[in-house]
Amino acid sequence: MSALFSKSPNSDSQNVNAQFAKKPANLKVLSRYVKLNALLAIVGAVIGLWALQLVFSYLSELDSLDDSYTMGEAIEYIFYRSPYFLEQFIPTGALLGAVVGLGLLANKSELVVMRAAGVSVYRIVGWVLQPALIFVLLALLINQFILPHSNQLAKEINDEDSTSLVTSVRGYWTVQPRFENTKAGRTKPDGSDILYIDYADVQGNIGEVKRWHLDNNGNLQTAVHAEGGQYIGREPLDTVSSEPSEQYRYEWALNNMTKLMINQGFESSQAISPSDTLSLPFAPESVYLLTRKAEDLSLTQLYEHRQFMRQQGQRSLSHELSFWQKLLSPLSILSLVIVACSFVFGSLRTHSLGLRIVVALLFGLLFSYVQDLVGFVSLATGFSPLLMVLLPIIASAILGGYLLKRQM
């Protein structure tokens, strides 16, 4: 690179332009040089922020250590949570890394020589965006393949919801109407069941099950508790017609079920009998999606959840919000990189690298807080999650583009 930048910033720009006109291969060298500097700076920033978060998480877990939660389990918990921390810091790390990478070039007047040689600001920004695409892909891979498994393993070690005095709604809750057959061969309403399933996996196993049966007047009649269950198959709903039915009733065999009859005491059952089965109108894969939190589902699983809720005529704003946040996370990273470039070429170009780093960190934190804020607004008002997720992304991209255009 010394041959490319051997002339001082005050050299005749026409001579420099002639040099690059005769040697177009120099642009490729410049491109690789800028990309490498940006890539190394972004990698360093992301790893630095990630490592800092791991240290803080370790210090936080020290207060929770006791006889049932040992140091080894705390380290294992942090290990499984580390992909989540990495994914969370990729946008801010890309912003900070782009500022540092371009800032180092600016401090050595290399950007000035590039501009004097006829290399446009937009071309340099394009070079910086290309290494950021690596982290775009990394964020998508983590969301799709790693987070659903690592978050579940972390919760198995340290389930914060089970130890908190103020618990949140978790698992799957539903109200099912109930009918009974009459002697005339008809059905009549028999109240309703309130059903709760704590956990389900894709193999058809379910965790703790609770079911309360209410009569037609809303009075509690029975309460059932089971430690778990296994999927045993499905049956068509229409058993009279000779044509194959597309609607099925899916059944699970419940384990260690305890049944409480109001005013009749307890009744325990261990064997599999008709009273030990749980029937649901949807498949085990759907039960799995319904019992998981939005942050624990991959992008494709969130899409499947969205389609399933549409088929049921319902919607889950929290899952829709998480879907759009994960799907549009690449745009968040790229918009922040544009803002980072504007800090170097824009109004902060005459200030020190340290000040630009501080401003970048503050902007990254502000962007993260605004994303959380618009998410809460969407959940509270029912406003379109897609539009609310796009607002901070579009705003940051417009801001970065405006600051860059001012210097053209």
Side-chain angles (χ1 to χ4, degrees):
M1 295 306 300
S2 59
L4 293 176
F5 302 112
S6 57
K7 294 187 177 183
S8 65
N10 298 323
S11 299
D12 188 4
S13 61
Q14 294 181 352
N15 294 334
V16 180
N17 288 332
Q19 178 184 357
F20 278 92
K22 296 178 181 179
K23 299 181 180 180
N26 285 339
L27 284 178
K28 294 184 179 180
V29 177
L30 275 179
S31 173
R32 288 196 298 267
Y33 180 66
V34 174
K35 292 175 187 177
L36 180 61
N37 275 272
L39 177 62
L40 294 179
I42 295 176
V43 169
V46 171
I47 293 179
L49 293 174
W50 184 36
L52 193 62
Q53 177 61 42
L54 292 179
V55 172
F56 287 151
S57 299
Y58 171 76
L59 296 176
S60 176
E61 292 301 315
L62 291 179
D63 295 334
S64 304
L65 297 180
D66 53 28
D67 294 337
S68 60
Y69 185 55
T70 63
M71 176 68 71
E73 291 175 331
I75 295 176
E76 188 177 3
Y77 170 76
I78 295 173
F79 173 77
Y80 288 131
R81 287 289 287 174
S82 59
Y84 173 78
F85 299 144
L86 176 60
E87 189 270 338
Q88 290 293 305
F89 279 107
I90 283 179
T92 305
L95 169 66
L96 182 60
V99 169
V100 172
L102 287 178
L104 292 176
L105 296 179
N107 287 348
K108 294 184 289 186
S109 301
E110 293 174 334
L111 292 181
V112 176
V113 176
M114 293 182 195
R115 294 295 309 281
V119 181
S120 67
V121 171
Y122 293 126
R123 173 170 288 183
I124 298 175
V125 172
W127 290 341
V128 178
L129 287 175
Q130 292 180 38
L133 293 177
I134 298 176
F135 292 88
V136 167
L137 180 61
L138 177 61
L140 290 176
L141 291 176
I142 293 175
N143 276 318
Q144 177 64 30
F145 299 107
I146 300 178
L147 284 187
H149 304 288
S150 61
N151 283 351
Q152 180 59 37
L153 292 173
K155 288 185 177 181
E156 291 176 0
I157 297 174
N158 184 13
D159 193 343
E160 297 177 356
D161 290 337
S162 62
T163 58
S164 176
L165 295 178
V166 181
T167 59
S168 59
V169 177
R170 50 175 296 179
Y172 172 62
W173 292 84
T174 185
V175 178
Q176 297 178 318
R178 192 164 173 175
F179 301 92
E180 65 175 352
N181 297 324
T182 63
K183 294 181 179 180
R186 299 179 180 180
T187 60
K188 67 176 183 179
D190 185 28
S192 59
D193 286 343
I194 300 176
L195 177 65
Y196 166 73
I197 301 176
D198 174 73
Y199 167 79
D201 59 25
V202 292
Q203 286 76 32
N205 300 311
I206 57 177
E208 182 182 23
V209 177
K210 296 179 182 179
R211 182 169 54 189
W212 297 268
H213 174 54
L214 308 178
D215 61 16
N216 293 324
N217 297 321
N219 299 316
L220 180 63
Q221 298 297 306
T222 61
V224 174
H225 175 270
E227 295 182 0
Q230 292 80 36
Y231 178 64
I232 57 177
R234 65 181 186 181
E235 294 182 0
L237 291 178
D238 187 6
T239 57
V240 179
S241 176
S242 59
E243 298 181 358
S245 175
E246 295 183 357
Q247 296 182 341
Y248 297 92
R249 179 176 65 250
Y250 301 86
E251 296 188 345
W252 282 259
L254 300 180
N255 302 327
N256 299 325
M257 190 186 77
T258 301
K259 185 176 182 180
L260 171 64
M261 307 290 293
I262 303 302
N263 298 327
Q264 297 184 26
F266 288 93
E267 176 185 336
S268 298
S269 177
Q270 300 293 337
I272 297 179
S273 63
S275 62
D276 295 327
T277 59
L278 171 67
S279 297
L280 293 175
F282 31 78
E285 295 82 5
S286 300
V287 180
Y288 168 78
L289 296 177
L290 292 171
T291 56
R292 299 294 294 275
K293 290 184 177 181
E295 64 180 20
D296 297 333
L297 294 176
S298 66
L299 188 59
T300 55
Q301 289 172 339
L302 286 170
Y303 177 77
E304 293 171 1
H305 183 280
R306 187 163 173 260
Q307 295 300 107
F308 175 78
M309 296 299 288
R310 282 186 174 182
Q311 294 173 1
Q312 301 296 317
Q314 302 176 8
R315 64 183 304 193
S316 172
L317 285 175
S318 61
H319 287 78
E320 289 186 25
L321 179 64
S322 181
F323 171 76
W324 291 116
Q325 285 176 338
K326 293 185 178 184
L327 182 64
L328 299 178
S329 61
L331 298 181
S332 301
I333 298 172
L334 296 180
S335 67
L336 288 177
V337 172
I338 294 175
V339 173
C341 296
S342 70
F343 289 163
V344 177
F345 292 106
S347 58
L348 294 178
R349 67 187 186 278
T350 58
H351 294 80
S352 65
L353 178 60
L355 178 61
R356 288 196 289 262
I357 291 176
V358 172
V359 174
L361 284 174
L362 293 177
F363 186 86
L365 290 174
L366 177 63
F367 182 83
S368 178
Y369 293 150
V370 171
Q371 277 191 319
D372 293 339
L373 176 61
V374 296
F376 291 140
V377 171
S378 176
L379 295 177
T381 63
F383 204 69
S384 171
L386 170 60
L387 182 59
M388 298 305 289
V389 172
L390 278 174
L391 281 178
I393 298 175
I394 295 175
S396 63
I398 291 177
L399 175 63
Y402 171 74
L403 295 177
L404 284 174
K405 190 175 181 179
R406 289 182 58 186
Q407 306 306 314
M408 298 302 293

